Amino acid sequence: MPRAVFPNRILPYALLAPQVAITLVFFYWPASQALYQSTLRQDPFGLKTRFVGLENFEAVLSDPSYLNAIETTLIFSLATAALAMALALLFASAAEKVIAGKGLYRTLMIWPYAVAPAVAGLLWLFMFNPTMGTFAYILRRSGIPWDPLLDGNQAMLLVIFAAAWKQISYNFLFFVAAMQSIPRSLIEAAAIDGARSTKRFWTIVFPLIAPTTFFLLVVNTVYAFFDTFGIIDAVTAGGPAKATETLVYKVYNDGFVNLDLGGSAAQSVILMAIVIALTAIQFRYVERKVHYG
Amino acid sequence: MAGIELKDVRKVYAGGVEAVKGVSLDVQDGHFVVLVGPSGCGKSTLLRMVAGLESITSGTIAIGGRTVNELEPAERDIAMVFQNYALYPHMTVRRNLEYGLRNRRIPSDEITRRVNEAAAILEIAPLLDRKPGQLSGGQRQRVAMGRAIVREPAAFLFDEPLSNLDAKLRVQMRAEIRSLQRRLGTTSLYVTHDQLEAMTLADQLVVLSAGHIEQAGSPMEIYERPATLFVATFIGSPAMNLLPIEPETASQLAGSSAVRDSLSVGTTIGIRPEHMRLVGDEGIQDDEIAADLVVTGVELVGAESYVYGVFGAQKAEIAVRVPGYRHFDGGTPIRAAAGATSLHRFDSKTGLRLDSPV
């Protein structure tokens, strides 16, 4: 990278300051607060606070409902990220083949991204609500005993689809851009080289969009871990019987509903460690297989 | 090995633009045919139609006697070299060469043999384990050629393969492509906008303009007997001098009266710069005509110079080739002469060559 030369010593720091300030205020400060709070225990009325060391972590990690939340999160995140990315990839490669109305198709594909998570959740809730949902009616008519309010697996399916649906637009946008940056002549050369459409996709297109896919893998993992709170809260509120209670939902529930602030803080510290570890693993092992043009 | 036959091939795009207006062309087995023309003349479209990358609106294309209109590019038994080389950036050079063969399920020992052979011919063996991003422009060009060779196709198609190279490399690769094609004897169709490249490579030259063939023939035929005004000015550099004959033109010229009397109004005469000479003390020969010019500039090319001037009231621009270096100030009056046998005559309206004897 070329070395930038600045006219004085203060300017480079001044240019970095806004970004640093935002990170400090919105990440390091709350993160350190959480870290501090995770070593405290408060009475339910917030009158007395005492230092308990790692006791909160001990309590959290030996809590069977916490271990259940880890399992739920893994299933939910894996399924959501995989579904959101696979469908977005499918739609993006289909967008390449659209001849008339390409712009309209793309615009319609991007719209769901503009919908707020809670609203997206409500949409799915209404569509699949066992008493008034249109799709729930159709499902039951075709012989499927659909009741996500009682069946934990069905509830899980519903939040996975709702969360993936919300993220498909974002992934779609990136996949379309990545595919457009592949020179047409490469695809043509592969066609002359005897590769049919499916083979071309897996041997030429897919490897060339790998940097984008990797980026989306990281972003989608973080999305599924953190940003899906609104959808889960609106659709199932973690139920039935904690079947859809993910780690981030449990942080909220224990901290702000059950008012166990110390325990909740300990959970968010663990959650942060998990996501940092996941991202590090992705960079360490997956990125190696990525070819940057 | 196979010839390529085009019969009344047309291409009309969705918007109604007619890019190729009925082209018929017979490329014989083993010949090197160059399609040349200015940008937008439809030469690339034509090549892409042969490759199967563009649909054919009407007419037929046959490769090796087999009509290929409805066949996929892969089934046409052709290999193409692209302007930007189109190498797969995530594969090593070896994998790039192997790709087309693996897709065709050729046995792996045969693949290895062909790749090594092509690498030896093109002298790219040391590069086989590199990726295209680590190669220079000339090396990429060779790899692109290699990818075409290993396939052992019925025909090579080249789409301006040298236009991304610098001038020196371009000349070198031009010679290499020519000798390679001679050695392999594979039918080749080559598209370029560079008339010099076209002249030096072609067995047969096809000059295209606005979607139709202006003239097809050997490079010398085309150079010596251009069929139209367009060909006359497009092939040769500097371009052929053109002088539209107007009622008073003949009287402004000097020299042979027999030749001057043969210049009829409504025609255009053409003379190549190298067929003209500056008139000195020795005067004008019997079979020459001469024109008085006012110098506008001199261009030194090295072994020779081109003197540019304007003629008469019609301000026709004339270039004259002179050996060595001659200097003239702008505005200097000079006299240039040309032999009657080196005159080309064209109908000014239709642009067609007139072959009436002088």
Side-chain angles (χ1 to χ4, degrees):
Chain A
M1 268 227 277
R3 261 184 82 94
V5 179
F6 289 97
N8 63 54
R9 280 159 170 271
I10 302 159
L11 181 61
Y13 297 104
L15 291 173
L16 286 176
Q19 176 67 59
V20 172
I22 286 171
T23 315
L24 277 178
V25 171
F26 290 100
F27 178 69
Y28 287 101
W29 187 24
S32 59
Q33 283 282 310
L35 212 57
Y36 172 62
Q37 196 137 63
S38 69
T39 61
L40 304 176
R41 184 166 294 167
Q42 274 181 325
D43 69 60
F45 304 102
L47 298 174
K48 271 185 296 180
T49 303
R50 65 189 172 92
F51 181 78
V52 293
L54 295 177
E55 263 179 47
N56 283 328
F57 289 93
E58 256 169 58
V60 162
L61 290 174
S62 58
D63 178 4
S65 77
Y66 188 74
L67 301 178
N68 173 57
I70 290 182
E71 197 192 322
T72 307
T73 308
L74 284 183
I75 294 169
F76 171 77
S77 302
L78 218 66
T80 303
L83 192 65
M85 288 177 68
L87 286 180
L89 189 57
L90 185 73
F91 295 153
S93 54
E96 292 275 288
K97 298 194 174 85
V98 173
I99 296 164
K102 215 174 211 170
L104 182 72
Y105 176 77
R106 285 188 186 152
T107 311
L108 289 179
M109 282 302 298
I110 291 160
W111 270 0
Y113 193 58
V115 178
V119 177
L122 276 179
L123 275 176
W124 283 78
L125 180 65
F126 286 147
M127 286 192 293
F128 288 95
N129 182 293
T131 41
M132 58 183 172
T134 316
F135 287 91
Y137 177 71
I138 296 171
L139 281 172
R140 272 211 302 275
R141 268 253 307 238
S142 50
I144 298 162
W146 177 255
D147 190 357
L149 296 185
L150 293 175
D151 186 324
N153 290 334
Q154 291 184 355
M156 183 61 124
L157 270 181
L158 187 54
V159 284
I160 287 171
F161 273 97
W165 177 78
K166 181 83 180 67
Q167 188 66 1
I168 283 173
S169 303
Y170 181 86
N171 296 349
F172 173 80
L173 204 60
F174 276 87
F175 278 132
V176 164
M179 286 184 187
Q180 278 179 338
S181 71
I182 298 176
R184 252 197 89 69
S185 61
L186 276 187
I187 309 296
E188 292 172 348
I192 291 175
D193 264 344
R196 288 185 182 282
S197 152
T198 317
K199 175 120 196 185
R200 280 204 296 274
F201 180 81
W202 290 112
T203 55
I204 308 290
V205 177
F206 191 70
L208 290 178
I209 61 170
T212 302
T213 312
F214 175 66
F215 163 77
L216 288 177
L217 180 67
V218 174
V219 169
N220 278 259
T221 309
V222 174
Y223 164 78
F225 266 81
F226 290 119
D227 290 356
T228 47
F229 170 83
I231 288 175
I232 292 177
D233 193 43
V235 179
T236 63
K242 297 191 185 300
T244 55
E245 189 178 65
T246 59
L247 289 171
V248 70
Y249 196 79
K250 194 169 163 55
V251 168
Y252 157 79
N253 209 30
D254 287 1
F256 296 96
V257 179
N258 302 332
L259 293 176
D260 175 10
L261 291 184
S264 166
Q267 288 180 29
S268 47
V269 170
I270 296 171
L271 186 55
M272 186 165 70
I274 291 175
V275 171
I276 288 174
L278 265 181
T279 309
I281 289 169
Q282 285 169 344
F283 270 93
R284 181 92 175 71
Y285 295 101
V286 184
E287 200 194 18
R288 268 202 218 156
K289 298 193 166 64
V290 172
H291 170 89
Y292 290 95
Chain B
M1 300 299 122
I4 303 173
E5 213 176 326
L6 283 73
K7 267 203 203 111
D8 200 28
V9 172
R10 279 170 203 281
K11 175 76 191 181
V12 183
Y13 282 108
V17 179
E18 198 172 10
V20 177
K21 300 170 186 167
V23 167
S24 296
L25 179 66
D26 192 3
V27 179
Q28 282 170 32
D29 182 17
H31 272 213
F32 198 117
V33 173
V34 178
L35 304 177
V36 67
S39 47
C41 71
K43 56 192 190 299
S44 276
T45 307
L46 200 57
L47 189 78
R48 293 168 57 82
M49 285 160 85
V50 175
L53 301 174
E54 298 273 358
S55 63
I56 301 160
T57 308
S58 72
T60 57
I61 295 179
I63 299 173
R66 183 175 61 133
T67 303
V68 296
N69 281 35
E70 302 300 325
L71 295 183
E72 293 288 316
E75 297 164 336
R76 296 188 179 197
D77 199 14
I78 45 102
M80 184 150 164
V81 179
F82 290 83
Q83 180 172 357
N84 63 0
Y85 318 132
L87 300 177
Y88 313 123
H90 57 297
M91 296 184 195
T92 60
V93 169
R94 181 181 287 280
R95 298 285 298 192
N96 262 283
L97 298 184
E98 289 172 350
Y99 188 73
L101 303 177
R102 282 169 180 263
N103 288 338
R104 289 181 168 75
R105 306 195 187 290
I106 288 174
S108 67
D109 51 338
E110 170 75 2
I111 293 181
T112 314
R113 187 188 65 74
R114 287 202 205 172
V115 169
N116 289 341
E117 204 176 278
I121 293 174
L122 294 162
E123 295 166 13
I124 53 172
L127 310 176
L128 284 176
D129 294 320
R130 297 209 201 151
K131 286 191 174 164
Q134 297 164 296
L135 305 180
S136 69
Q139 289 169 333
R140 285 181 208 184
Q141 173 63 53
R142 280 165 198 270
V143 175
M145 289 287 301
R147 194 168 62 181
I149 293 174
V150 293
R151 290 263 319 281
E152 299 179 1
F156 291 140
L157 307 178
F158 297 89
D159 190 6
E160 310 220 13
L162 303 181
S163 51
N164 283 4
L165 299 176
D166 64 54
K168 191 176 165 200
L169 208 51
R170 193 150 57 211
V171 173
Q172 187 194 335
M173 288 307 296
R174 195 166 74 197
E176 284 187 27
I177 288 179
R178 187 73 188 104
S179 70
L180 191 67
Q181 194 272 341
R182 285 251 165 82
R183 187 166 148 189
L184 300 173
T186 309
T187 313
S188 300
L189 199 55
Y190 188 108
V191 160
T192 181
H193 64 269
D194 181 340
Q195 55 96 12
L196 188 63
E197 203 170 293
M199 292 286 290
T200 47
L201 281 171
D203 289 323
Q204 198 193 2
L205 195 57
V206 177
V207 184
L208 288 161
S209 159
H212 67 269
I213 294 181
E214 286 276 336
Q215 190 176 8
S218 77
M220 277 331 280
E221 248 169 62
I222 289 182
Y223 189 77
E224 285 173 351
R225 293 179 56 78
T228 64
L229 275 172
F230 175 84
V231 177
T233 49
F234 190 77
I235 299 293
S237 174
M240 181 186 280
N241 297 312
L242 295 181
L243 184 62
I245 304 301
E246 288 165 13
E248 65 277 19
T249 308
S251 60
Q252 291 172 359
L253 293 166
S256 158
S257 57
V259 176
R260 280 193 285 144
D261 290 345
S262 75
L263 304 175
S264 45
V265 174
T267 65
T268 296
I269 58 167
I271 313 165
R272 293 211 178 270
E274 64 265 33
H275 294 144
M276 298 194 70
R277 64 179 187 88
L278 292 184
V279 178
D281 299 335
E282 77 287 350
I284 307 166
Q285 316 269 312
D286 290 345
D287 64 339
E288 282 185 328
I289 54 167
D292 291 312
L293 310 177
V294 177
V295 172
T296 54
V298 181
E299 206 175 74
L300 173 66
V301 195
E304 64 215 24
S305 315
Y306 291 97
V307 178
Y308 292 88
V310 289
F311 164 74
Q314 57 200 100
K315 299 277 180 208
E317 288 193 29
I318 305 285
V320 183
R321 188 179 76 173
V322 294
Y325 180 59
R326 292 280 298 277
H327 180 75
F328 295 97
D329 287 326
T332 311
I334 54 171
R335 175 167 276 200
T341 51
S342 60
L343 295 190
H344 303 263
R345 293 159 195 269
F346 302 94
D347 186 313
S348 295
K349 269 217 187 73
T350 62
L352 293 177
R353 183 183 189 85
L354 301 170
D355 272 324
S356 53
V358 178

